[in-house]
Every structure is written in structure tokens, then in C-alpha cells.
Amino acid sequence: MKKEKIDLASELLLRLKDLGPKFLEHRLESKNASFLSEENVSQLIESGVFKACQPKRVGGFELPFGAQTSAGAEIAKFCGSSGWIASVLGTHHWMLGKFSFEAQDDIWSKNPSAVVASAFASEDEKVKTLKDGYEISGTWLYASGIHLCDWIIILSRIPKGNSAPEMRFMLVPKCDLKIIDTWKTIGLRATGSHNIKIKKAFVPKYRTISHKEINKLDTPGTKNNPKSVYRMPMSGIINYCVAAPALGMAEGALEAFTKDMSPRTSIFSQKIANNPTLQLRTSESSAEIDCARLLYDSDLSKIKASVKKNKSLTLNDLAKIKRNASYIGELSKRATSRLASAMGARGLSEKNLVHLANSDINAACSHVSMVWDSCSLPHGMAKLGVLTEESLGP
């Protein structure tokens, strides 16, 4: 019988699924470290997860958008921080497929395994426009995985007189920044999402792309390539890089919960699984997680189809995708919180995966791309006929 050939994206998921228990083991050993263990970092790099959506011309696999987020969700079942890093940093490599070939070569021509972080929020930012680039200074916040990265994408706001500043993404090498140890959190601690400081660093213009341009189909990295996997907007879609690991954490929590609770007995030697209240909590949480998975799979199919058919997603499509990504976070948070509260005193161990996932999901849902109150508004505006490109947000 001929062995069925599986695609590279599926092979990557299987590889990470096999590594999952090791990710959890290393996570539990590292306790409260504010960065991933060396073992988890090396396994992530060796797995090829960061190359999933990296351009093929610079050593990547150039898989469709979603290969990296699905990989992150798989890892997050065992270690939320590792899943977050895989999905978020893997998405940066997809973003870089929209940058100029020169910028891509600066990162990967000498080291195809180089990894790129990002930081979009800033304080005390100063940008000076020069003839062939920009001089930048300031502090940028929450650079997940910065310790293991060689480069970072920052978002700068360039003054335009009385007009609104131009938002421009810029690539900065690690040698031009200083890491500030600021990430002391109760959730996703090992993501090492520290702040960075930059002082009078020069960024050549070819290593930048405007926020407006990166949301177009044709960018410096996609021109003359109508079948490019990078030929889609960024806004709305990028929210899935944080929604996916949240979903994975919830799926991992449900599996750990049922495995732990099913054989347990009460102090009266009665099987706890026979308790109707526990059965109800389990069923309700599993329904929310199933709904979140359906939303995720449906949107990924829509995103991939838009590229395959060379048909741009509409503004209303993007608003709905942004809503769905945030709602996946809401569903994951509700489901996992319910499971954590149903575990009783035995679930309070600092190594209990359900409680770890609960803390990590709450941290994930604090990300600007997951805040329901703001991320749900554009879809409501679309339904009411008042959505504009600006109101969709970054």
C-alpha cells in the first residue's frame, strides 16, 4: 500500500505535537523565568516553525498564512509562552514577505534561521527624516521573544506638520537597541516581552514600509507575483497570531482537566465524574472551545481562498475577521476560567496545566489585538454601514 504523502504544514504540526510534552517539561522546570528555556528555543528553531511563512528565496518554506499560527496553537497546548513565541514571531516573518528584497536579504542572506521580534507601542519617540532614511530614538514596549531575536520590527510615527503622522514599520538590528528588563507578569512570563530602548539609530528607507502600503496587495515584496502568499492586507488578519495560541491553551487545558478529573474520587470515595454539575461545566467549556476552533478554521479557509482566487478580502471581511479573532480569546478565556474554578484545591498546584493556561490566556487577552470592546466595534460599524478604513485600525 502506497504511503500517503502529507503536506509540509501538516508535517510541521505533527513534529510539534511530538515535541509538546518536552515543551511542558522544560516549562515546569524553568519556573518563573522571564524568557524561554534554552531547550525550548533550540527545539523551536530546529523544528522549522519560524520558517513556516518565511519567504522561500531567503531560506523559508513560504507556506500560506495560518501555518505559523496553527503551529503556535499546537505548542500552546503544552506551553503557552512557547506557542505565543512561535505564532507571533512566525507572523513577523510573514509580514517581512511584504518588505523589499533588500530588507529580507539584510536579515536572512547570511543566516536563514535569523528570528525577528516586534514592538509597535512606544514612548518618548523621536524620528528625524533624512535623505535616505530615518534617525530614530525612543522606547518601544512589549517586544516578545526579544532575547532570542536578531532583528526587530518597530512601528514609528513620522511627524507630518499639521497632518496626522505617517505610521511606518522599520527594521532595526539587535545591535542598535538595549533590552530593558520590564516583563514581570503572572501570565505568559516566559515570552520575555521586555521593552527596548533605541538611541539615534539610522534606518535606511528600504528597510521600512508604511502602514498604508503593508495593507495593500502589491508591496515591494509581492510585486510581479500575483500568487504570492504575502499578497493580502495585514490589518485584522494579523490578530490571529495572538488568537491562535489562546485557542491552543484552552484546548490543552480541557484535555488536562478531563484527564485529571475523570479518575478522581471524593473524600467519601465517590467518583467525582458522576457529579452532574461537573459534567455541565465540562460540557459548556468544551462547547465554547469547539466554537472557537470552528471560527478559527473558517477564517483561515477564507484567508487562504482569497489568495488562491486572487480576490481581495473586503473591508467588511477584515472587520469580521478581527471580531472573530478577539471572540476566540473571549471564548477561550471563559472556558478555561470555568475549568480552573471546578478543579478544587487539588488544582491549585503551580504546575497544574489548567491554572497555568488560565493565567496565560488572561495575559493573551490583554493584548491590544484581543481586547473585545475595541476589536468588536469595526464589525458592528460594518453591519450598520459606517465602517471606514481608518476605523478598522492597525
Side-chain angles (χ1 to χ4, degrees):
M1 185 175 178
K2 189 176 180 181
K3 187 177 180 181
E4 186 178 352
K5 186 178 179 181
I6 62 172
D7 60 81
L8 185 54
S10 299
E11 183 183 328
L12 186 60
L13 282 179
L14 289 173
R15 198 180 305 165
L16 294 167
K17 188 174 184 178
D18 290 340
L19 287 171
K22 283 291 183 184
F23 279 107
L24 177 58
E25 182 183 323
H26 297 149
R27 176 194 185 160
L28 297 178
E29 289 172 353
S30 62
K31 294 183 180 179
N32 292 322
S34 60
F35 47 85
L36 293 184
S37 67
E38 290 183 12
E39 293 88 353
N40 280 22
V41 171
S42 63
Q43 286 176 347
L44 284 174
I45 293 173
E46 289 169 12
S47 74
V49 65
F50 295 126
K51 292 187 176 185
C53 294
Q54 184 174 314
K56 191 174 290 185
R57 58 175 294 276
V58 282
F61 303 144
E62 203 164 309
L63 296 173
F65 183 95
Q68 84 289 12
T69 57
S70 294
E74 185 60 45
I75 302 167
K77 293 176 183 178
F78 302 92
C79 175
S81 291
S82 296
W84 178 275
I85 292 297
S87 182
V88 171
L89 272 57
T91 299
H92 299 158
H93 293 191
W94 171 80
M95 284 178 63
L96 287 164
K98 290 172 158 287
F99 277 68
S100 70
F101 286 179
E102 287 177 282
Q104 294 175 23
D105 289 341
D106 281 357
I107 300 167
W108 289 306
S109 62
K110 294 181 179 179
N111 179 15
S113 296
V115 187
V116 183
S118 76
F120 297 160
S122 63
E123 293 177 347
D124 304 321
E125 181 186 348
K126 294 181 178 63
V127 184
K128 185 187 293 184
T129 303
L130 306 174
K131 183 180 178 181
D132 53 352
Y134 306 90
E135 182 186 89
I136 57 170
S137 298
T139 301
W140 277 261
L141 316 179
Y142 313 125
S144 294
I146 186 60
H147 280 98
L148 62 104
C149 292
D150 308 277
W151 291 75
I152 188 168
I153 307 170
I154 63 166
L155 180 60
S156 284
R157 295 145 189 87
I158 302 168
K160 294 290 181 182
N162 294 327
S163 303
E166 179 190 42
M167 298 171 70
R168 186 166 282 271
F169 295 99
M170 300 185 177
L171 268 170
V172 181
K174 196 170 185 176
C175 60
D176 283 348
L177 59 88
K178 178 182 178 182
I179 300 172
I180 308 170
D181 190 359
T182 51
W183 190 247
K184 308 293 184 184
T185 60
I186 57 173
L188 293 178
R189 177 170 290 192
T191 60
S193 303
H194 301 288
N195 295 350
I196 61 158
K197 187 176 283 293
I198 299 173
K199 187 175 181 180
K200 293 187 176 180
F202 173 70
V203 183
K205 193 166 185 178
Y206 74 83
R207 268 199 232 139
T208 75
I209 187 170
S210 71
H211 179 265
K212 186 175 182 179
E213 188 177 20
I214 207 170
N215 279 302
K216 292 181 178 179
L217 300 187
D218 292 314
T219 67
T222 66
K223 284 178 179 175
N224 304 317
N225 186 1
K227 295 182 179 179
S228 172
V229 297
Y230 310 104
R231 203 168 178 269
M232 65 177 80
M234 186 193 77
S235 291
I237 290 173
I238 197 173
N239 294 41
Y240 265 114
C241 77
V242 292
L247 172 58
M249 294 172 212
E251 290 175 330
L254 178 61
E255 185 175 340
F257 177 86
T258 54
K259 185 178 180 180
D260 181 271
M261 299 298 284
S262 181
R264 279 175 58 177
T265 56
S266 70
I267 56 175
F268 302 107
S269 299
Q270 295 176 332
K271 193 171 177 64
I272 290 178
N274 289 327
N275 185 322
T277 301
L278 183 64
Q279 295 165 2
L280 178 62
R281 298 290 177 266
T282 306
S283 184
E284 191 171 2
S285 289
S286 67
E288 289 171 331
I289 293 168
D290 285 348
C291 288
R293 171 56 70 174
L294 287 170
L295 282 174
Y296 176 77
D297 290 343
S298 174
D299 275 355
L300 276 194
S301 294
K302 183 185 291 185
I303 291 166
K304 291 174 184 176
S306 73
V307 176
K308 190 174 182 179
K309 296 176 182 177
N310 195 22
K311 185 178 179 182
S312 179
L313 293 163
T314 67
L315 197 59
N316 285 8
D317 288 334
L318 296 172
K320 190 173 184 178
I321 286 170
K322 185 171 186 174
R323 179 205 69 178
N324 289 352
S326 178
Y327 198 58
I328 284 171
E330 286 295 297
L331 289 170
S332 299
K333 183 167 60 174
R334 290 179 204 167
T336 311
S337 175
R338 186 183 300 106
L339 295 176
S341 65
M343 292 205 80
R346 276 184 57 180
L348 295 176
S349 167
E350 62 181 358
K351 294 187 176 183
N352 181 278
L353 186 55
V354 179
H355 280 281
L356 289 171
N358 191 37
S359 295
D360 286 346
I361 289 174
N362 274 279
C365 290
S366 298
H367 191 278
V368 65
S369 297
M370 293 285 276
V371 178
W372 174 248
D373 285 357
S374 56
C375 292
S376 63
L377 290 180
H379 181 65
M381 297 169 74
K383 297 293 282 185
L384 294 169
V386 293
L387 178 67
T388 62
E389 191 171 347
E390 291 72 25
S391 59
L392 183 63

